[in-house]
Amino acid sequence: YDFMQDRTEDGRRFRMLTVIDEFTRRCLAIVVARKLRSDDVLHCLTDLFVADGPPEHIRSDNGPEFVARNVRGWLGRIGVKTLFIEPGSPWENGYCESFNSKLRDELLNAELFSTLYEAEVLIESWRRHYNAVRPHSSLGYRPPAPEAILPPDPNSRVGIAVGGRPPCRSARALALRALRHRVAVERQGPGETH
């Protein structure tokens, strides 16, 4: 996890806490507020850990919100190890830094937020798009959320060509195909095979 910042139209600063799952590449949360403190980090992590279970470890820089005694103590009590990167070494938190640059390039640099509420709504909408629709080159030009819940389709004729690009189908077509498969599986009753 990491922090970013931007400004609303009136010039007032707001911060974002971004939380990424390194394995699935999903963005688990983006908390948007004028100020974010260690208690806000704890609230976000608590919600995520209740929903998905605690991870083995969590990686961050040495920001005061992450090294605060209450955050380190709480993580230690529930058995989550902390992996702090070396100061001045953002590449050690590469997945989060890469995500932050995409958020900056694809949304924050393109939008002028009138209010904090507008920023919250548009950032959450972008997060959902990032997880469910946007193709990721590192995942074979598929979005992370369907891959996290769907097994690979053994009957698929779509392969990945040299260079990592789909040979004949667009990323959108692949995402729609995965969604159709998911809907078909959900429509089948319990005990039916597919």
Side-chain angles (χ1 to χ4, degrees), residues 155-187:
N155 300 321
S156 173
R157 294 183 185 195
V158 177
I160 302 302
V162 175
R165 295 188 180 199
C168 61
R169 294 193 185 184
S170 70
R172 179 182 162 97
L174 288 171
L176 288 173
R177 185 170 182 278
L179 181 61
R180 283 190 203 108
H181 175 73
R182 179 178 173 196
V183 169
V185 168
E186 289 175 356
R187 283 186 181 163

Side-chain angles (χ1 to χ4, degrees), residues 11-55:
R12 294 177 61 203
R13 183 177 69 105
F14 66 88
R15 297 183 79 197
M16 294 158 278
L17 170 64
T18 58
V19 184
I20 308 300
D21 182 329
E22 290 183 356
F23 181 73
T24 65
R25 311 289 169 75
R26 282 184 350 167
C27 174
L28 302 176
I30 304 177
V31 179
V32 179
R34 291 286 177 196
K35 295 180 181 180
L36 289 169
R37 297 184 174 96
S38 61
D39 287 343
D40 300 306
V41 171
L42 285 176
H43 288 295
C44 176
L45 293 180
T46 300
D47 291 344
L48 292 173
F49 294 179
V50 167
D52 299 322

Side-chain angles (χ1 to χ4, degrees), residues 7 12-13 25 31 36 54 56 58-59 61 111 115 119 129 131 136 148 152 164 167 183 187:
R7 296 185 182 276
R12 294 177 61 203
R13 183 177 69 105
R25 311 289 169 75
V31 179
L36 289 169
E56 182 179 316
I58 190 160
R59 183 184 323 272
D61 61 22
E111 290 289 335
T115 64
H129 174 82
N131 284 339
H136 295 244
V183 169
R187 283 186 181 163

Side-chain angles (χ1 to χ4, degrees), residues 6-137:
D6 203 4
R7 296 185 182 276
T8 50
E9 189 176 24
D10 59 6
R12 294 177 61 203
R13 183 177 69 105
F14 66 88
R15 297 183 79 197
M16 294 158 278
L17 170 64
T18 58
V19 184
I20 308 300
D21 182 329
E22 290 183 356
F23 181 73
T24 65
R25 311 289 169 75
R26 282 184 350 167
C27 174
L28 302 176
I30 304 177
V31 179
V32 179
R34 291 286 177 196
K35 295 180 181 180
L36 289 169
R37 297 184 174 96
S38 61
D39 287 343
D40 300 306
V41 171
L42 285 176
H43 288 295
C44 176
L45 293 180
T46 300
D47 291 344
L48 292 173
F49 294 179
V50 167
D52 299 322
E56 182 179 316
H57 65 270
I58 190 160
R59 183 184 323 272
S60 72
D61 61 22
N62 295 285
E65 300 87 357
F66 301 135
V67 298
R69 268 186 249 151
N70 61 341
V71 173
R72 288 181 305 158
W74 181 76
L75 289 171
R77 283 192 300 277
I78 61 172
V80 176
K81 298 174 188 146
T82 54
L83 297 174
F84 295 113
I85 66 172
E86 289 294 320
S89 304
W91 55 86
E92 291 182 8
N93 198 5
Y95 293 116
C96 208
E97 294 293 338
S98 175
F99 172 81
N100 290 349
S101 72
K102 288 170 180 58
L103 174 59
R104 174 81 53 206
D105 291 344
E106 296 174 12
L107 179 67
L108 302 178
N109 287 344
E111 290 289 335
L112 182 60
F113 304 111
S114 299
T115 64
L116 183 64
Y117 180 71
E118 180 183 25
E120 289 178 66
V121 169
L122 291 177
I123 290 168
E124 177 60 17
S125 175
W126 183 87
R127 186 188 74 83
R128 290 173 186 242
H129 174 82
Y130 177 88
N131 284 339
V133 179
R134 184 188 180 281
H136 295 244
S137 60

